[in-house]
Amino acid sequence: MAFDPASWAESLGRLQSWRRWAVAFVSGVLAAAALPPTGLVFLLVPAFCILLWLIGTKNIRAAAVVGWWFGLGFFAASFYWVASAFLVEAERYGWLAPFAVFGLAAVMAVYTALATALTQLISQRMRLNDWARTLTLAGVWTFTEWLRGELLTGFPWNLIGNIWVVSDPMLQSAAWVGVFGLGLVTVAAASLPAVLASGTSRRQWAMALSGIIVLALMAGGGVVRLNSAKIADIDGVRLRLVQPNIPQHLKWRPNKRLDHVRRQLTMSRQPPSDGKPPTHVIWAETAVPYNLFADRQLQKSIGTVAPKDGLVITGAPRGEREPGTGQKLWNSAHAISPAGNIVATYDKKHLVPFGEYVPMRSVLKFSKLTAGRLDFSSGTGPRVLDLSGLPPVAMLICYEVIFPDEILGEDQNTPRPGWLLNITNDAWFGVTTGPHQHLAAARLRAVEHGLPLVRVANTGISAIIDPYGRTNVALALGKAGVLDGNLPKALDPTIFSRFGALITWFLIFVTIALPVTIGREN
């Protein structure tokens, strides 16, 4: 087939009803293939060009419908692993699996519908040319991604910028503009070739390739940054990450729970393969399936595997009876000394709707997916903890690591941590793309803030990540074992770490205001 973008755009623009929606859906699936672990980044170009051509000169409502179908394909393909959580208790929740996947995708697709509708609204009102339209889509898309991370408690999973975990040099731009800025440039670069539908002159080709040139310059800047990187490890700190690989359907069985704890105690005592004994041992989220806070004997047992002058850091539920409110439950992380004392506790702040609590409990009567009928409560304590023998650490339990603007907390008086610790239980996702996507988000947080990140996952992927987002050591998904490694030192605060969301909003404003100012049709 001859290279004729004008003919392709015309043919796509003529499609009606279900044919247009089907092509939009497939284009969304193509875009999802760019996400980890597949990493087929080049597929974003046909995906976003087709999206723009499908919109064509349609009215705003038609543009929103196309955007919704694109989003449905994108999110259904990239969130399919959600079904795994419902299959843990298949006899009880299995029937909900397809509804959960497509229901979540349908809700998330509202954001892509908003992006295409706003793009069409601005383009038509301001009479933008093709070049300006593509930049407007990039700015509006980034705005809706930010919105997706804020509304209804937020769910910024699989942001477009996450695709660049395939390239360490490309990741470095996140230190300056964050994942949203990285995604904005990516959408612009993928969309700009759509201008070839209005001609293939040198000017059009220059516009079509301008975004790719910008990405190449960003990659070059990343190479320079990495070539000058000098990473030292923190003296006297040797971490042991324990990955027991306990299947979710066995994790909370009454006759198995104590065996799970004993297994992790045994793994924690293993001699180091390189002769360097650990100074601190870290277990995953809810690694102890008991209310550890109220079990003194269990605290002492876990303390026996804490290295001398070190600690065991483990996830465990925490329950207390509070006057006037009854029993309360938190998803917590505890630091336990060799004497078996809990010396610090962090309670998870950002909870998973329907997983850890049911929104509108008075209306929605069904139970959450996690064990027990009592909803978890949101923690109110500090995120940054001072622990013996370690730099200050910012604790992140499970999907708290996917929120770019919440990593260091809202209290500006909190001291900057020396590292990030993400404990999680990705057994819910099985051996799917979910854990890989979760790890990708964690790597972005390390680069954005110039902080090393340690990730300990029940079933994997556990890893030690340096402040440039590079994985120093890792334990594969679905594998049991221990991982020993050094803790890298932090970098100076990055530009993104200093200014955060202000950078995101500045880039969105410029990307929308510039086309409106200079990109109108004559």
Side-chain angles (χ1 to χ4, degrees):
M1 190 178 200
F3 179 72
D4 187 2
S7 176
W8 299 345
E10 183 181 356
S11 298
L12 290 169
R14 287 200 304 263
L15 292 177
Q16 297 297 318
S17 61
W18 69 268
R19 291 181 176 84
R20 187 191 317 141
W21 304 337
V23 172
F25 181 89
V26 171
S27 298
V29 173
L30 279 181
L35 292 164
T38 314
L40 301 178
V41 174
F42 65 91
L43 289 179
L44 286 183
V45 175
F48 277 98
C49 287
I50 290 171
L51 177 62
L52 280 167
W53 292 337
L54 285 171
I55 294 171
T57 58
K58 300 290 189 298
N59 60 43
I60 295 167
R61 180 180 176 278
V65 172
V66 167
W68 186 86
W69 279 100
F70 181 94
L72 185 68
F74 178 79
F75 291 115
S78 61
F79 289 166
Y80 80 92
W81 47 262
V82 169
S84 298
F86 292 84
L87 298 178
V88 171
E89 295 185 57
E91 69 286 351
R92 186 178 181 185
Y93 295 114
W95 66 276
L96 282 171
F99 298 100
V101 173
F102 284 97
L104 177 61
V107 172
M108 295 296 106
V110 172
Y111 293 103
T112 56
L114 178 61
T116 51
L118 286 176
T119 299
Q120 201 73 332
L121 173 64
I122 295 170
S123 298
Q124 291 180 356
R125 291 286 176 86
M126 299 298 173
R127 300 182 62 191
L128 299 183
N129 58 32
D130 289 347
W131 170 83
R133 256 174 107 232
T134 60
L135 290 189
T136 300
L137 174 64
V140 172
W141 182 282
T142 304
F143 165 69
T144 57
E145 281 199 329
W146 176 87
L147 208 60
R148 177 157 64 90
E150 297 293 326
L151 296 184
L152 303 175
T153 81
F155 192 56
W157 193 290
N158 282 348
L159 302 174
I160 288 293
N162 286 7
I163 68 170
W164 291 115
V165 294
V166 300
S167 168
D168 289 341
M170 277 301 301
L171 274 188
Q172 303 314 303
S173 296
W176 306 305
V177 298
V179 67
F180 291 115
L182 192 54
L184 187 151
V185 177
T186 302
V187 174
S191 304
L192 278 166
V195 304
L196 295 173
S198 57
T200 55
S201 66
R202 288 186 179 180
R203 182 171 178 271
Q204 255 95 24
W205 272 107
M207 288 190 290
L209 297 177
S210 60
I212 297 173
I213 292 171
V214 172
L215 287 176
L217 291 173
M218 291 168 67
V223 170
V224 172
R225 187 172 193 251
L226 291 176
N227 285 341
S228 61
K230 296 179 180 178
I231 293 294
D233 294 326
I234 296 173
D235 292 335
V237 175
R238 182 75 172 171
L239 304 178
R240 166 159 290 184
L241 285 50
V242 178
Q243 182 173 302
N245 194 35
I246 300 167
Q248 189 60 35
H249 70 281
L250 300 178
K251 184 174 176 62
W252 293 94
R253 288 191 180 179
N255 63 332
K256 295 282 187 182
R257 289 191 295 170
L258 191 55
D259 289 339
H260 297 332
V261 176
R262 288 171 176 158
R263 180 182 179 189
Q264 291 173 95
L265 290 171
T266 300
M267 295 174 73
S268 301
R269 294 189 180 102
Q270 288 181 17
S273 58
D274 57 4
K276 299 177 181 178
T279 61
H280 297 80
V281 177
I282 309 176
W283 294 4
E285 177 191 14
T286 60
V288 179
Y290 295 95
N291 181 7
L292 182 58
F293 201 75
D295 193 328
R296 182 72 187 117
Q297 186 56 48
L298 190 51
Q299 292 174 30
K300 289 182 177 180
S301 297
I302 294 172
T304 63
V305 299
K308 182 182 178 182
D309 300 322
L311 297 166
V312 173
I313 302 172
T314 182
R318 182 174 78 87
E320 283 187 5
R321 185 167 296 279
E322 294 193 348
T325 60
Q327 184 76 13
K328 295 193 73 173
L329 185 66
W330 293 269
N331 185 352
S332 303
H334 303 293
I336 302 173
S337 70
N341 298 317
I342 293 179
V343 297
T345 292
Y346 167 74
D347 298 323
K348 186 178 180 183
K349 299 175 185 294
H350 205 134
L351 303 176
V352 182
F354 303 104
E356 293 172 312
Y357 75 101
V358 177
M360 300 182 293
R361 167 62 76 179
S362 60
V363 177
L364 302 176
K365 301 299 184 181
F366 50 82
S367 63
K368 59 185 173 63
L369 284 175
T370 50
R373 296 186 179 184
L374 188 64
D375 284 351
F376 283 99
S377 297
S378 179
T380 57
R383 185 184 297 281
V384 179
L385 303 179
D386 271 315
L387 302 178
S388 176
L390 293 167
V393 56
M395 300 293 301
L396 302 161
I397 297 178
C398 192
Y399 94 146
E400 286 185 315
V401 79
I402 73 173
F403 295 89
D405 298 329
E406 295 184 13
I407 296 303
L408 302 185
E410 299 177 356
D411 185 358
Q412 299 302 316
N413 296 319
T414 300
R416 183 174 186 251
W419 60 300
L420 307 173
L421 174 57
N422 178 216
I423 60 172
T424 186
N425 175 29
D426 287 358
W428 287 102
F429 308 153
V431 183
T432 66
T433 60
H436 296 275
Q437 295 168 2
H438 203 180
L439 175 64
R443 290 179 60 191
L444 261 298
R445 302 297 84 80
V447 182
E448 286 171 340
H449 296 283
L451 295 172
L453 184 143
V454 176
R455 187 174 193 268
V456 186
N458 168 24
T459 55
I461 306 163
S462 298
I464 297 177
I465 299 163
D466 77 9
Y468 293 96
R470 299 175 297 189
T471 302
N472 286 354
V473 290
L475 200 54
L477 179 63
K479 180 180 178 181
V482 298
L483 190 66
D484 294 338
N486 298 328
L487 178 62
K489 288 184 177 178
L491 304 178
D492 291 334
T494 63
I495 293 175
F496 179 83
S497 184
R498 293 177 187 275
F499 299 102
L502 290 177
I503 293 175
T504 302
W505 281 107
F506 173 76
L507 292 172
I508 291 172
F509 173 77
V510 169
T511 312
I512 296 175
L514 183 65
V516 167
T517 304
I518 65 173
R520 300 189 185 191
E521 294 178 338
N522 296 325

